[in-house]
Amino acid sequence: MASKSCPASKGPLAYLLAAVALCVLLIIPAVSVARAANPKAASPGTPQAHTIDAFVAGQLAQGKKPNRLIKEKSPYLLQHAFNPIDWYPWGPEALAKAKRENKPIFLSIGYSTCHWCHVMAAESFSDPAVGAILNQYFVAIKLDREERPDLDRVYMAATQALTGSGGWPNSVFLTPDLQPFYAGTYFPPKSRWGLPGFSDLLLAVRNKWEQDPKGVSKAAGEITRLLKNHAALPASSKMPPDDLPAEASKQLATAFDRAYGGFGMAPKFPRPVVLYFLLRNYHYQGNQNDREMVLVTLKKMAAGGIHDHLGGGFHRYSVDEQWRVPHFEKMLYDQAALAVAYLEAFQVSGDPAFARVARGILDYVLRDLTGPDGGFYSAEDADSPLPEDPKRHGEGAFYLWSHQELRDALGKETAAVFTYRYGVEQKGNVLHDPHGEFKGKNILYEAHSLAQTAKHFGLGPEKTAAILAGARQKLLELRSRRPRSQLDDKVLTAWNGLMISAMARGYQVLGDARYLAAARRAAAFIKDKLYDPKTGELSRRFRQGQAGLAAHLDDYAYLVRGLLDLFEASQQIARLNWARQLNATQTKLFGDPKGGGYYSTAGRDQTVLTRGKEKFESARPSGNAVAALNLLRLANLTQDDAMRKRAETVFKAYAGHLKRHPTSMPLMLAALLNWQHPYKQVVIAGRPGADDTRRLLAAVHRKFLPGKMVVLATGGADQKRLAGLMPFLEGMAMQEGKATAYVCLGYTCRLPTNDVEAVSRQLEDIGKAR
């Protein structure tokens, strides 16, 4: 990759840069932090098995002695349990040692599937000489950013402010009172490419710490002050301007890549929150350009190498503008967010290609990221053992093919069709390979359409499709025998909430009962393993039979969203009741009664420098935006105006920020659009599972209709219980013994009907309401 870290999407931190740049120069004047354009590829590191447990067992069997990280649950920390470094997890023991011995802290933040984290681990953290320096002069702390996003957010902001960019591994030097004074991302073992060697850097930091402690302390205090100022979100008594969505649409249009889709230049990240907003702005405002930007982006991504054309799902991001060369890790949250984006694109366009991609994502998650008890695992690594030499690792090795491999596997004739369709070349097809990692290898992408392929070979489209489908299945089976990328098997509440939502939505739109069953099992797993009924509170992480870590705002907000989608898909009132309970707990733990909205954390951990609110949405939506959408849905479902007023406090909290940075939080703008337009209600009175009921529900779910709620009125005890929450359900019943639809706007309903076409027309009618 061109970047020597797994890059972080940039938020609006530019105003900090000038103020802190001087601090950087004052701290470590002896080393350069210039970034190199094309460094030589680094060693990929020692081999790992498919799970971290197997890796640990293998290391112990070889007689290797672990450090204290062996007691941790995080796969990322366990990857470093055999380093010759006296690593500590973040906690009282490490922080007390730093204060007692007056040593600076070296804080290394990453995650288990990060390629450049592996590189730095192999080059530096496995080196006894580096370990000796760290052990003598520093307190070394390892942190899993996925377990502690609050700490990661604070120190990534520091790195971005100090260097102008960010990524992982995030390497931050702190005073014993946890204030950052120097930071970077990946550092090579020796000075090269314009970057200081890690050992040289450690010694320079140590010298500065010992020779000028007052200067270091002063600079650290200034940086911390700026970080706290940045984290603050001034309260407002006004709602955001009505024209903000239109302004955001204009700004996104100027950044849109009309040739390849997406926004801005390489590297390109999927940012589904942008797509969600644009589809809603198209729906409410009728802006065709918004629709076009979404559909083009999703088509180009699906055709590119960022999409796994054999196994389904998407890789983390693309290093090039054409989506052809990915960073190969696969994250659960990306699968969840993109599945929903493709489902909505299918609803908007009717193009079955979008449905196929969504199905591929969900099937991949069911096959490779679902645990035996129903929880969804977090990720698969970017690196994997080389098939030809499993003792060595390489990025994307699991997914790459040589031309000869494909010909041997498929035979000459089928291989010709397949390689034409997927752009395979004899010398390799990787257009962006500055490190020489992919020489002679191919990343599958759709170089030619199905129609072009059929025409080129003089075959009919159906026969060509059948040949390609058979080839993909054969190659998937062959690939499954290769050594796999390491699986991060921790279960995170927040990310499971996103996938519960995606599975429930997948069931609604695609009608596949497997997805509903998966959503139900995951919700049951979370309630059984990560929820304390005595306190009503969630834990964040489950692994190896143990739940742990305090949940954050996103854990609550994402799970509530998942439960609301699961309620609409299953019509089980227990899902709705639990969502309401969690929403109340969320307000108690995270609500800001003065400034409005929600803090990202409960504020119980005093070691976190700032207690802020997210100001930027990248791959994942902000907890506040999801919370606002949840509140509006609950207000719609229960006719509880207090929920709507609570959502308004979120919008007011962000009014000033959104006015300055309209595109920083696209999902917040999507929520604002829902707030600006009337509630929509669709009630199907019918027998659960009956054919006529299913037909009406299918007609409803085919439509893209943001801001709607769907309720099944069965006429029995369930309807009575629901009517206790939703008084408007009283009296809604089947007509003439047939399933009947009640399509309503602001609780004023059209004439009840049991005709599918009439329901579709009524849905179109209320969808146009402004």
Side-chain angles (χ1 to χ4, degrees), residues 111-126:
Y111 55 104
S112 72
T113 59
C114 166
H115 170 68
W116 283 99
C117 299
H118 301 330
V119 173
M120 194 165 176
E123 292 178 336
S124 295
F125 298 149
S126 298

Side-chain angles (χ1 to χ4, degrees), residues 29-50:
V31 294
S32 166
V33 293
R35 301 187 69 81
N38 286 305
K40 184 180 178 182
S43 170
T46 54
Q48 296 176 340
H50 182 49

Side-chain angles (χ1 to χ4, degrees), residues 536 552-560 580-592 598-599 623-624 626-628 630-631 646:
H552 296 187
L553 172 62
D554 62 346
D555 293 296
Y556 283 85
Y558 293 3
L559 182 56
V560 170
R580 293 172 64 236
Q581 292 166 8
L582 290 175
N583 189 74
T585 303
Q586 170 189 291
T587 297
K588 180 182 71 174
L589 293 177
F590 307 101
D592 179 358
Y598 296 92
Y599 290 109
N624 270 280
V626 176
N630 293 341
L631 288 163
R646 181 70 199 172

Side-chain angles (χ1 to χ4, degrees), residues 49-52 75 112-113 368-369 377-381 484-490 543:
H50 182 49
T51 65
I52 192 64
S112 72
T113 59
D368 293 335
L369 290 182
Y377 295 143
S378 292
E380 289 192 290
D381 207 332
R484 288 195 70 93
S485 306
Q486 189 178 91
L487 175 71
D488 187 325
D489 58 357
K490 68 177 179 289
R543 189 174 179 276

Side-chain angles (χ1 to χ4, degrees), residues 594-650:
K594 293 182 179 179
Y598 296 92
Y599 290 109
S600 297
T601 63
R604 294 169 175 170
D605 186 348
Q606 298 302 307
T607 67
V608 185
L609 288 181
T610 64
R611 188 189 184 201
K613 300 169 187 174
E614 294 166 285
K615 295 183 179 180
F616 183 74
E617 295 176 320
S618 54
R620 298 188 297 279
S622 74
N624 270 280
V626 176
L629 284 167
N630 293 341
L631 288 163
L632 292 175
R633 290 179 74 178
L634 287 167
N636 190 3
L637 280 164
T638 64
Q639 294 177 274
D640 184 351
D641 198 51
M643 296 285 186
R644 181 177 175 88
K645 291 186 184 303
R646 181 70 199 172
E648 289 171 359
T649 73
V650 178

Side-chain angles (χ1 to χ4, degrees), residues 215-356:
V216 172
S217 179
K218 181 179 179 181
E222 178 65 12
I223 295 168
T224 301
R225 184 184 66 81
L226 291 167
L227 290 174
K228 289 182 176 180
N229 288 343
H230 172 67
L233 196 65
S236 172
S237 60
K238 296 180 180 180
M239 290 290 290
D242 290 344
D243 62 352
L244 263 183
E247 177 59 29
S249 172
K250 290 177 184 177
Q251 291 186 16
L252 289 167
T254 63
F256 180 60
D257 182 344
R258 297 199 174 275
Y260 300 110
F263 302 86
M265 299 180 293
K268 279 184 176 175
F269 287 79
R271 198 179 169 203
V273 288
V274 170
L275 309 182
Y276 299 160
F277 160 67
L278 288 173
L279 284 183
R280 281 149 184 80
N281 203 52
Y282 156 70
H283 174 80
Y284 287 121
Q285 307 298 337
N287 187 336
Q288 289 291 330
N289 190 49
D290 290 341
R291 177 184 187 272
E292 189 65 15
M293 286 190 284
V294 173
L295 300 187
V296 168
T297 295
L298 290 175
K299 286 177 181 177
K300 294 296 184 180
M301 284 177 54
I306 193 173
H307 181 207
D308 182 353
H309 293 274
L310 300 183
F314 283 80
H315 302 294
R316 178 73 277 269
Y317 69 92
S318 172
V319 303
D320 67 292
E321 63 182 2
Q322 299 181 40
W323 306 103
R324 278 183 54 179
V325 184
H327 187 63
F328 284 91
E329 66 207 69
K330 280 181 162 181
M331 312 301 295
L332 180 67
Y333 59 78
D334 281 325
Q335 313 314 317
L338 286 169
V340 172
Y342 279 95
L343 289 169
E344 292 189 347
F346 173 56
Q347 289 177 311
V348 166
S349 68
D351 185 342
F354 293 119
R356 286 195 294 272

